[in-house]
């Protein structure tokens, strides 16, 4: 067992005690929230009227065990720190969400996805056990065999049942490099069929595929991005400088090959927040040349978004140019593979956003995760789109249309951004009965917000 000196069991236990003390200091009539300065959520958060939970001592990697291929981490440990601790052992989490500052506890309670999800499912499926501070103020160790109802209801609960303080998760072996193959498609049916074949067989043309995602720039230009682990040394690309990863995918026809270190592959999307950095001008050659490299990362762009929200900068610019305000359309949705083409056709006809990200997903097991009930042994495709459109006459009109279409196609959407469901719709999609049972068992006095209040009412 390898334990990082900066995060000894003693320092972790001290962090847990500070968390518990902060919980007890919050008045019984006040809602309990995290005292967290940053977030990867795109829905508005209500301003805190009382101090929040102190998670300052719950940020590190506690241990990496290369023999059992497991890691123990504090709940607020970022994937950036976790990957830095596991890669020296030739190991990585089974699913590494795309942005460096996503926390392990956040990915488990709020879901996460990446290019290994077609074979490894979602982050919570690799959790072996975790310690959870419940809404009732109890610190429980939960697993598939202990407090199993909490273990199964925790994913997609977004901190409304409790907060993880420690998680033990599975790891998998990785090689030092990833060979990339970007395959262009001029027809979306061909892309979906090829995706289906890769997932069904585990490979393409007899070669195992380790990573799989895609980008659609238009119905006539789309790509699957295949990754193959390799330990053969050779030249690698660098997309943390002037070159931009998503632009490197594009080519006129056929196949384009590339190579990255495993570290740079895992964080290939973070430098430009996929393609969202273009909103700040950082993809313009002159601006990019003078933009400090340390600020080319999603966490810094998040700070800029925070300033925009605080001072309504974007709306002021639109008004200055005599244009209507804009509606934020920042969503990740999942639809069954067989409905992927239909959704994309509808999306490009009704929503003026491009490109969009594709990431296929299959659950690893047949376990029941009631708050995000997708069918086992069935392939879904995550479609991610993150931009804005001109605002309509009704608040959130484009987001509402997307929700309706996704529901029509037997899909779901993640709850990290704006939602507009009725309570009945929300219950049907996100395990209302199971959630209420878990809420009654672990937060009977409703010290934590309810999931609908948090995700839709934005309280």
């Amino acid at each position: 067992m390898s334990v990082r000196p900066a995060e000894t069991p003693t320092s972790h236990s001290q962090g847990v005690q500070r968390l518990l003390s902060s919980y007890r200091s919050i008045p019984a009539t006040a809602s309990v929230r995290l005292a967290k300065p940053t977030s990867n959520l795109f829905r508005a958060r209500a301003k805190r009227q009382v101090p929040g939970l102190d998670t300052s001592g719950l940020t590190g990697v506690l241990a990496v065990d290369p023999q059992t291929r497991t890691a123990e981490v504090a709940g607020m440990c970022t994937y950036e720190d976790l990957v830095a601790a596991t890669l020296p052992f030739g190991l990585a989490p089974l699913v590494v969400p795309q942005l460096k500052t996503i926390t392990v506890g956040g990915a488990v309670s709020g879901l996460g996805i990446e290019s290994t999800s077609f074979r490894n499912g979602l982050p919570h499926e690799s959790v072996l056990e975790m310690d959870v501070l419940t809404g009732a103020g109890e610190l429980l160790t939960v697993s598939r065999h202990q407090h199993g109802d909490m273990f199964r209801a925790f994913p997609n609960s977004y901190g409304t049942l409790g907060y993880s303080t420690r998680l033990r998760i599975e790891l998998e072996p990785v090689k030092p490099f990833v060979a990339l193959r970007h395959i262009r498609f001029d027809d979306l049916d061909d892309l979906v069929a090829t995706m289906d074949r890769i997932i069904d067989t585990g490979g393409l043309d007899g070669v195992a595929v380790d990573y799989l995602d895609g980008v659609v720039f238009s119905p006539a230009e789309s790509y699957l991005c295949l990754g193959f682990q390799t330990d053969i040394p050779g030249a690698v690309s660098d997309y943390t400088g002037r070159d931009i990863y998503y632009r490197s995918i594009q080519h006129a026809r056929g196949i384009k090959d590339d190579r990255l270190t495993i570290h740079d592959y895992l964080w290939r999307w973070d430098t430009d927040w996929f393609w969202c950095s273009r909103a700040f001008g950082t993809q313009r050659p002159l601006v990019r040349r003078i933009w400090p490299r340390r600020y080319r990362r999603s966490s810094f762009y998040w700070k800029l978004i925070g300033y925009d929200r605080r001072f309504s900068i974007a709306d002021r610019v639109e008004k200055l140019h005599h244009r209507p305000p804009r509606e934020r359309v920042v969503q990740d949705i999942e639809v069954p593979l067989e409905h992927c083409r239909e959704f994309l056709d509808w999306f490009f006809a009704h929503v003026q956003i491009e490109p969009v990200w594709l990431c296929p997903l299959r659950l690893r097991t047949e376990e029941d995760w009631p708050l995000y009930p997708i069918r086992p042994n069935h392939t879904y495709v995550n479609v991610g789109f993150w931009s804005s459109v001109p605002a309509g006459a009704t608040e959130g009109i484009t987001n509402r249309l997307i929700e309706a279409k996704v529901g029509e196609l037997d899909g779901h959407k993640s709850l990290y951004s704006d939602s507009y469901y009725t309570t009945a719709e929300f219950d049907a999609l996100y395990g209302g009965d199971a959630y209420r049972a878990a809420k009654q068992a672990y937060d009977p006095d409703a010290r934590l917000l309810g999931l609908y209040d948090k995700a839709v009412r934005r309280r």
Side-chain angles (χ1 to χ4, degrees), residues 72-95:
E72 291 206 22
V73 302
M76 300 295 289
C77 174
T78 67
Y79 275 93
E80 181 176 26
D81 288 342
L82 176 55
V83 165
T86 62
L87 284 187
F89 295 100
L91 298 169
L94 270 61
V95 180

Side-chain angles (χ1 to χ4, degrees), residues 99-158:
L99 306 180
K100 291 179 177 180
T101 55
I102 292 175
T103 63
V104 179
V108 172
S109 68
L111 305 184
I113 194 168
E114 235 297 322
S115 59
T116 56
S117 290
F118 78 102
R119 57 183 179 86
N120 286 341
L122 297 170
H124 59 266
E125 295 187 88
S126 64
V127 175
L128 298 173
E129 70 173 24
M130 55 186 168
D131 294 341
V132 176
L133 173 64
T134 70
E138 298 180 288
L139 189 63
L140 303 177
T141 298
V142 306
S143 68
R144 288 170 173 83
H145 311 293
Q146 188 174 6
H147 302 293
D149 53 345
M150 167 63 97
F151 185 82
R152 289 185 293 273
F154 195 79
N156 209 44
S157 64
Y158 281 91

Side-chain angles (χ1 to χ4, degrees), residues 290-360:
I290 62 175
W291 194 282
R293 186 184 291 253
R294 67 183 180 276
Y295 294 143
R296 294 180 199 148
R297 52 182 287 142
S298 61
S299 57
F300 183 72
Y301 304 137
W302 250 115
K303 292 181 181 179
L304 299 181
I305 289 290
Y307 289 130
D308 175 65
R309 288 181 177 174
R310 183 177 177 183
F311 300 109
S312 302
I313 297 171
D315 287 343
R316 291 170 185 261
V317 170
E318 294 301 307
K319 186 176 182 179
L320 184 65
H321 289 86
H322 306 289
R323 294 191 296 254
R326 299 185 68 83
E327 175 187 351
R328 185 177 59 199
V329 182
V330 178
Q331 304 286 353
D332 277 80
I333 65 95
E334 272 103 34
V335 293
L337 178 80
E338 61 271 21
H339 297 318
C340 180
R341 171 64 192 267
E342 182 179 349
F343 178 79
L344 290 172
D345 284 344
W346 177 89
F347 184 85
F348 282 112
H350 293 85
V351 184
Q352 302 303 308
I353 292 177
E354 59 77 24
V356 302
W357 184 57
L358 303 180
C359 189

Side-chain angles (χ1 to χ4, degrees), residues 200-223:
D200 184 52
T201 64
L204 185 67
D205 299 329
V207 180
V209 173
D210 298 303
Y211 305 100
L212 177 63
D213 63 353
V215 179
V216 182
F217 290 87
S218 74
E221 183 190 1
S222 59
Y223 301 86

Side-chain angles (χ1 to χ4, degrees), residues 226-255:
L226 284 56
F228 308 87
Q229 292 187 27
T230 178
D231 50 16
I232 300 173
V236 293
S237 298
D238 178 6
Y239 297 109
T240 63
R242 295 186 183 181
D243 295 332
I244 299 168
Y245 175 70
Y246 85 99
R247 288 301 183 193
S248 76
I249 294 170
Q250 293 183 277
H251 55 277
R253 63 181 62 85
I255 294 172

Side-chain angles (χ1 to χ4, degrees), residues 368-421:
D368 177 35
W369 306 100
L371 271 60
Y372 205 76
I374 59 178
R375 287 178 279 166
N377 303 311
H378 200 89
T379 300
Y380 290 74
V381 179
N382 176 284
V383 185
F385 37 93
W386 315 291
S387 190
S388 63
V389 298
T394 304
E395 180 193 357
I397 186 169
T398 299
N399 283 283
R400 294 172 192 269
L401 289 172
I402 291 168
E403 288 180 352
K405 188 63 180 181
V406 171
E408 176 189 322
L409 298 179
D410 192 28
H412 288 78
K413 77 170 193 177
S414 298
L415 297 175
Y416 70 84
S417 191
D418 298 321
S419 297
Y420 296 89
Y421 296 112

